[in-house]
């Protein structure tokens, strides 16, 4: 009996050591980073920077695959259903917390992933042409209240984060805007500078180059913190308006990814978040670093999802 017990104990120890050896070998091959959108966009650019600057901390090459379509659904589903071995990661972005409320039957949510880390946020803002008579948000809202539904506010599409930011601002200020959807930030900003709309709501990063060129004036950042490169522009929270809408970018893995590999990846991503070249990339692209890891990131996603659900209802698009 003692020999049997000893043999059993030895087998258990060997199995434990074998498991540790396998865990210790991770990663031993390339890691795929799924971007659920087309090449060349903001998500793709950010994802490729993560791969470029992050692979030295992971210890293996990271290659980006663009799996676009279905408002991000194709790529997000692929990433969620990938083998949970730590070799397929997904760039999670704002769409993941909006689309499930905008599109009936959207096949994936943030709950389908193991949260790794939030890396960055991009605040929304409201801007006017440099030629506009409006110098402050208060001036703009005063006229908007006097002309309900008349102020034309451009956004990069119905249901976009910036449309929802406008809904949040209108709700906070008790104002009804007339939203004008465009196919992206570029056409929205062009319409603004051409005088076709009264204001535009975009990401602060997208509007910043036009502010530098003297063609646009930002009235307020629709967030709780000022935008670093526009330090003199007040936030809506500072102005007493409870509107705070940001786009975000982070990394997730499939559910059931082994905890030791999740821990390994979080440590690597934390090092990436401190990398000077990566920080320089974010600064040049108007993206604000914001690191939240693991379970805390999961809790943050839950709050974002609930907030966006409420904002979608404000638009009246979904009852």
């Amino acid at each position: 009996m003692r020999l049997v017990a000893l043999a059993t104990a030895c087998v258990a120890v060997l199995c434990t050591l074998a498991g540790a050896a396998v865990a210790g070998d991770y990663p031993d091959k390339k890691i795929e980073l799924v971007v659920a959108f087309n090449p060349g966009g903001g998500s793709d650019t950010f994802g490729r920077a993560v791969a470029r600057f992050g692979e030295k901390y992971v210890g293996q090459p990271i290659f980006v695959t663009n799996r676009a379509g279905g408002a991000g659904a194709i790529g997000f589903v692929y990433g969620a259903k990938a083998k949970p071995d730590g070799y397929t990661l997904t760039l999670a972005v704002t769409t993941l917390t909006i689309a499930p409320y905008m599109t009936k039957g959207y096949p994936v949510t943030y709950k389908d992933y193991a949260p790794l880390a939030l890396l960055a946020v991009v605040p929304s803002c409201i801007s006017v042409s440099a030629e506009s008579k409006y110098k402050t948000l208060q001036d703009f809202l005063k006229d908007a209240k006097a002309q309900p539904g008349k102020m034309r506010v451009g956004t990069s599409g119905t249901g976009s984060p910036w449309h929802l930011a406008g809904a949040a601002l209108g709700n906070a200020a008790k104002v009804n805007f007339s939203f004008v959807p465009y196919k992206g930030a570029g056409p929205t900003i062009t319409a603004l500078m051409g005088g076709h709309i009264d204001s535009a709501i975009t990401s602060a990063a997208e509007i910043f180059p036009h502010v530098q060129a003297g063609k646009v004036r930002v009235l307020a950042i629709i967030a709780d913190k000022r935008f670093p490169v526009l330090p003199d522009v007040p936030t809506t929270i500072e102005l007493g308006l409870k509107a705070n809408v940001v786009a975000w970018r982070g990394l997730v893995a499939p559910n059931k990814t082994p905890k030791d590999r999740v821990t390994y990846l979080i440590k690597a991503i934390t090092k990436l978040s401190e990398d000077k070249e990566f920080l320089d990339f974010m600064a040049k692209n108007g993206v604000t670093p914001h690191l939240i890891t693991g379970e805390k990131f999961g809790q943050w996603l839950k709050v974002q999802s609930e907030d966006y659900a409420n904002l979608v209802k404000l638009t009246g698009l979904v009852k």
Side-chain angles (χ1 to χ4, degrees), residues 101 164 167 307-319:
Y101 303 108
L164 300 186
D307 286 350
Y308 275 121
N310 291 328
L311 288 176
V312 168
K313 290 178 182 178
L314 285 179
T315 66
L317 295 170
V318 179
K319 301 300 182 183

Side-chain angles (χ1 to χ4, degrees), residues 9-312:
C10 288
V11 169
V13 170
L14 288 172
C15 288
T16 300
L17 290 174
V22 171
D25 289 340
Y26 173 81
D28 61 1
K29 62 180 181 180
K30 295 179 180 179
I31 291 176
E32 178 181 9
L33 177 58
V34 180
V35 173
F37 302 94
N38 288 315
S43 294
D44 179 66
T45 301
F46 189 85
R48 291 181 186 278
V50 168
R52 184 166 73 254
F53 300 122
E55 60 183 26
K56 61 185 172 185
Y57 302 112
V58 171
Q60 289 289 338
I62 301 174
F63 65 98
V64 173
T65 57
N66 297 92
R67 299 180 184 275
I74 290 176
F76 289 144
V77 169
Y78 175 89
K81 292 184 178 298
K83 185 177 179 180
D85 57 5
Y87 288 100
T88 303
L89 309 181
T90 300
L91 181 71
V93 298
T94 323
T95 303
L96 194 58
T97 43
I98 296 178
Y101 303 108
M102 288 294 303
T103 305
K104 186 176 182 180
Y106 197 78
V108 64
T109 76
Y110 75 92
K111 296 178 183 179
D112 293 303
Y113 301 93
L116 297 176
L118 173 70
L119 277 169
V121 296
V122 184
S124 52
C125 67
I126 181 168
S127 307
V128 295
S129 164
E131 306 300 321
S132 172
K133 67 177 182 178
Y134 300 113
K135 308 298 183 183
T136 68
L137 180 61
Q138 293 92 326
D139 291 339
F140 181 81
L141 292 177
K142 182 179 179 181
D143 273 10
K145 288 180 181 179
Q147 307 172 63
K150 298 286 181 149
M151 290 298 232
R152 299 161 300 166
V153 178
T155 71
S156 57
T158 301
S160 67
W162 320 130
H163 179 201
L164 300 186
L169 177 59
N171 182 67
K174 294 180 173 54
V175 170
N176 290 320
F177 297 126
S178 176
F179 290 108
V180 183
Y182 292 90
K183 293 183 178 180
T188 306
I189 295 168
T190 298
L192 178 68
M193 294 188 296
H196 303 296
I197 50 179
D198 299 299
S199 69
I201 295 181
T202 65
S203 77
E206 289 165 329
I207 206 72
F208 177 61
H210 305 282
V211 176
Q212 284 184 306
K215 297 179 179 180
V216 170
R217 179 184 307 117
V218 178
L219 299 181
I221 304 296
I222 307 175
D224 60 350
K225 294 180 181 178
R226 293 197 178 198
F227 192 51
V229 293
L230 294 172
D232 296 328
V233 177
T235 69
T236 45
I237 301 299
E238 290 174 32
L239 298 174
L241 298 167
K242 293 183 179 180
N244 178 10
V245 180
V246 298
W248 57 271
R249 292 165 185 162
L251 295 173
V252 293
N255 275 335
K256 298 184 179 179
T257 299
K259 288 185 179 180
D260 59 333
R261 298 190 177 190
V262 167
T263 299
Y264 181 95
L265 289 165
I266 289 174
K267 287 181 179 178
I269 295 167
T270 299
K271 291 178 182 177
L272 167 64
S273 72
E274 300 167 349
D275 184 273
K276 185 180 182 304
E277 289 183 294
F278 186 56
L279 290 171
D280 287 345
F281 160 82
M282 287 197 279
K284 289 176 182 176
N285 285 272
V287 179
T288 304
H290 194 122
L291 181 70
I292 304 176
T293 62
E295 291 182 5
K296 289 185 177 179
F297 178 36
Q299 294 165 4
W300 186 90
L301 285 172
K302 181 177 184 294
V303 172
Q304 287 292 306
S305 180
E306 291 170 350
D307 286 350
Y308 275 121
N310 291 328
L311 288 176
V312 168

